[in-house]
Amino acid sequence: MTTALSDHDPLFDLPTLPERLLALADDFICHNDALGEVSTADVRAAALRQHIPSTHALAARALEVRESVERMLRSTPAVVDASLRLQEIAFLSTGAVDELLGALSLVKAGKDGADNRIHMAANLTALGAATSVDLAETIAVEMRRQRVPLTGEAAPQLSSKDVTALRAVARGKAHITLMLGRQYITAEDGSTKVSTTTVRSLESRFLLHRDGEPQDSVPQRLRLTASGMRTLAGTFGQAPPPAQGLQGGPPLPQPPSESVKRSR
């Protein structure tokens, strides 16, 4: 089962603003994965009670990063826009908390409609990961422009395929699926091409990891490690890496079915 980061998770103590935003993106991914698991009536109330505080934490963390952005950077159009977008995702996360509280009340009262409110909570935070990644890049570029120190730097052997894979994982768009003894990458938006060779290479360098144990035909969530967040953050605002890195390789065939479901 995918679980959200705790309030004291070391991932959120990453040293730079872009890394903290990538950690926030990971929290949003965990949030929506966990909501997808709140499905059966027998466990729904208990699961909701556990999930409401972590959803509330999303809003708090977005506002914490917003405060840091405003404190560390001069006010420019890019900084103002980033601040407003962080406020927006915090507001949406708070709305998701309200929906989950409403769902819990319906479950406790034995009334229908809880599923709709849980679905609405997921919709309110559905773009949180992608927005956080976009903001991480915006803030990294602005930090370089304002000459605010950035500690995270990309490894020299990183290729454009590596960066593409790291970005897809950071945005919550990549799973790996075992089918008939072979592994396939599934990108949710269908537009990102990521090879298993690239994923294995990034795993070997401890930049990616997989949630859970592999099961045939069940997609596994790919997630960034703390080192992966630091490495990806180091690519923002830099010249694109070469198309072929040391670990590059052609993508393997896509699975026979294009309707692989998201793991719950």
Side-chain angles (χ1 to χ4, degrees):
M1 176 177 174
T2 301
T3 56
L5 300 175
S6 71
D7 287 341
H8 302 292
D9 195 287
L11 278 180
F12 207 68
D13 294 328
L14 290 163
T16 69
L17 286 173
E19 292 170 64
R20 289 175 64 189
L21 281 160
L22 291 175
L24 181 62
D26 188 70
D27 276 356
F28 274 103
I29 292 168
C30 293
H31 163 84
N32 279 339
D33 282 352
L35 275 187
E37 297 170 0
V38 184
S39 57
T40 63
D42 292 339
V43 302
R44 187 180 294 154
L48 285 170
R49 289 191 188 97
Q50 290 181 341
H51 201 65
I52 288 168
S54 64
T55 308
H56 189 270
L58 291 175
R61 291 183 175 189
L63 293 176
E64 287 171 8
V65 178
R66 177 177 182 257
E67 181 180 348
S68 297
V69 167
E70 293 180 342
R71 184 176 66 251
M72 293 178 62
L73 297 173
R74 297 192 308 274
S75 181
T76 65
V79 170
V80 171
D81 180 69
S83 177
L84 290 173
R85 292 178 72 189
L86 282 165
Q87 186 177 30
E88 179 182 43
I89 62 176
F91 176 79
L92 293 173
S93 299
T94 300
V97 172
D98 292 339
E99 292 297 332
L100 293 176
L101 287 170
L104 178 60
S105 296
L106 291 172
V107 170
K108 291 167 64 176
K111 297 180 179 179
D112 294 333
D115 286 339
N116 289 336
R117 302 205 69 166
I118 294 170
H119 183 67
M120 179 60 71
N123 284 343
L124 286 168
T125 55
L127 298 179
T131 299
S132 297
V133 175
D134 290 343
L135 290 175
E137 183 162 15
T138 297
I139 293 301
V141 170
E142 193 64 18
M143 289 176 75
R144 293 186 191 281
R145 196 181 70 82
Q146 296 191 22
R147 300 186 180 181
V148 176
L150 272 167
T151 58
E153 296 296 337
Q157 71 270 27
L158 213 63
S159 71
S160 62
K161 291 181 179 180
D162 295 330
V163 175
T164 295
L166 291 173
R167 283 175 177 267
V169 171
R171 297 171 74 89
K173 299 299 183 182
H175 296 84
I176 190 162
T177 307
L178 180 67
M179 298 183 69
L180 302 177
R182 300 188 67 182
Q183 292 181 332
Y184 299 92
I185 303 297
T186 304
E188 290 180 12
D189 57 7
S191 62
T192 303
K193 302 299 181 183
V194 178
S195 73
T196 54
T197 302
T198 299
V199 168
R200 291 190 192 107
S201 171
L202 293 171
E203 286 179 314
S204 72
R205 287 175 277 173
F206 306 104
L207 303 180
L208 295 183
H209 69 97
R210 311 179 190 190
D211 270 345
E213 296 297 325
Q215 301 179 52
D216 196 56
S217 302
V218 178
Q220 279 183 280
R221 164 72 66 195
L222 291 170
R223 292 171 63 193
L224 296 183
T225 63
S227 294
M229 293 177 191
R230 186 169 299 113
T231 298
L232 178 58
T235 69
F236 296 148
Q238 300 281 53
Q244 184 67 40
L246 297 180
Q247 305 293 333
L252 294 182
Q254 293 299 303
S257 172
E258 296 181 356
S259 59
V260 178
K261 299 291 186 182
R262 189 174 197 169
S263 178
R264 297 302 188 210

